[in-house]
Amino acid sequence: MRHHLTCVLAAPAIYSLAACDGSGDFGSRPAFGLDDIRELTGLSAPIETSAEQQARQQDIVSRADSLVVSTMHTELALPEGTLTVRQVSECSGAECQLLDPTTGDTETVVLDTAVMGLGDAEAIGSAHGITLMSRTGSQMGVEATSLGAWMEHGSFALKRLHAVGEEVESDTLHAVALGDLTDRPLTGSASWLGIMVGTPVSGDDRGDRLVGTVALNYDMAAGALDAGFSGITNIDRGTAHGVEAVIFSDLTVGPDGTFARGQSGARIQGGFHGAGHAETAGIFEHSDMIGAFGAKRQ
């Protein structure tokens, strides 16, 4: 079965691009105000409005040739109890294959004629030239929320999708990243700084929003890329996350500007976008945390 990345409900999980917005926990105004969140995370006041980001979406999607989706984690509330479903993703180019390891069921998610839905958006704050947005809305009975950003050449977001049927309630967490690949190998040492978003996929803090810093450094002499996530803060509880830092070392960057390592639960995948490798975006997974990130070349 193939799904374009419109907002679609497909049992047992819900597939959606970062901009198919709805209403739910991620987009809801947290107990902490925006000033509190900025103080917690070190974000500055927004350097652009939500309307300015939304105006770039269609153009970015029309140019995008890369899509990455994290493992999808779904909790189904059924009359007989709660069922947890995990769909492992394998992504290449503008396509991701999703596999349920328990049943063997597969889905194909493609990005070629994506239809973007514009929901309510609020600028949270900015860092390293990127403005973090919280977005809400609903479509086709699915309440969706996202936390992420649209840059100049790509996008990254954390998604929560919620749907209620006659006998089932579904809650899905996943992360996505997309963009137009530079399609060139890196030719010199460089660094990128940006924002990461994430959430735990189990436990009492499942679905809580995490925000931190991402730093990527490429050493031409070593021919390797290091990616690190630090300062990870739970902005719904106002506390530091239990995992202070996540590091992926000595990543190989392909001739098309993509990088990937690991499998579900211990994984990073992304790519460089725009002329001169101006930006990078991707997803990561660490233990029970999934997330997405975007960064700009320094």
Side-chain angles (χ1 to χ4, degrees):
M1 182 182 297
R2 295 171 67 85
H3 291 295
H4 296 302
L5 278 184
T6 50
C7 289
V8 181
L9 174 61
I14 306 168
Y15 308 115
S16 173
L17 186 62
C20 293
D21 297 308
S23 62
D25 292 342
F26 277 149
S28 300
R29 184 175 295 276
F32 298 96
L34 293 180
D35 288 341
D36 297 320
I37 292 175
R38 291 169 195 155
E39 184 175 354
L40 285 167
T41 60
L43 295 172
S44 67
I47 60 175
E48 66 176 350
T49 67
S50 59
E52 289 172 323
Q53 277 203 16
Q54 289 176 339
R56 296 196 296 269
Q57 293 180 19
Q58 292 288 3
D59 179 56
I60 293 173
V61 172
S62 69
R63 292 184 278 114
D65 57 3
S66 172
L67 171 70
V68 187
V69 179
S70 74
T71 301
M72 287 193 174
H73 296 268
T74 300
E75 285 192 355
L76 298 171
L78 306 169
E80 59 271 27
T82 301
L83 174 66
T84 299
V85 177
R86 181 174 66 98
Q87 288 182 293
V88 179
S89 71
E90 183 174 345
C91 303
S92 178
E95 180 173 297
C96 292
Q97 302 288 332
L98 301 176
L99 167 68
D100 183 335
T102 301
T103 65
D105 293 338
T106 61
E107 300 284 346
T108 301
V109 180
V110 298
L111 174 61
D112 54 5
T113 57
V115 177
M116 309 303 292
L118 300 180
D120 296 331
E122 182 176 41
I124 293 179
S126 299
H128 311 295
I130 300 169
T131 299
L132 186 64
M133 296 282 176
S134 173
R135 309 191 57 190
T136 67
S138 63
Q139 190 169 344
M140 297 189 299
V142 179
E143 295 182 344
T145 53
S146 69
L147 183 68
W150 290 85
M151 300 181 289
E152 298 297 329
H153 305 282
S155 174
F156 65 97
L158 180 69
K159 293 291 297 181
R160 186 171 196 169
L161 306 169
H162 189 82
V164 179
E166 292 184 2
E167 295 186 352
V168 61
E169 182 175 352
S170 174
D171 188 71
T172 298
L173 300 169
H174 68 286
V176 299
L178 63 94
D180 60 319
L181 290 173
T182 301
D183 204 23
R184 296 284 191 279
L186 285 165
T187 57
S189 299
S191 61
W192 295 258
L193 288 174
I195 298 173
M196 63 135 286
V197 294
T199 188
V201 297
S202 63
D204 292 340
D205 56 354
R206 181 185 191 274
D208 283 1
R209 301 173 298 172
L210 307 176
V211 175
T213 298
V214 59
L216 298 97
N217 294 282
Y218 182 74
D219 185 336
M220 185 64 184
L225 176 73
D226 295 335
F229 306 93
S230 61
I232 304 173
T233 302
N234 185 322
I235 65 172
D236 291 318
R237 296 177 186 252
T239 60
H241 184 53
V243 177
E244 296 182 355
V246 177
I247 298 174
F248 295 88
S249 301
D250 298 325
L251 300 170
T252 299
V253 180
D256 60 351
T258 61
F259 52 90
R261 177 186 291 168
Q263 299 177 338
S264 179
R267 173 190 175 201
I268 187 171
Q269 185 168 356
F272 291 96
H273 306 292
H277 304 82
E279 296 175 356
T280 182
I283 61 92
F284 72 96
E285 304 181 32
H286 175 77
S287 186
D288 75 336
M289 175 171 52
I290 61 170
F293 61 90
K296 292 194 174 187
R297 188 165 183 164
Q298 301 302 293

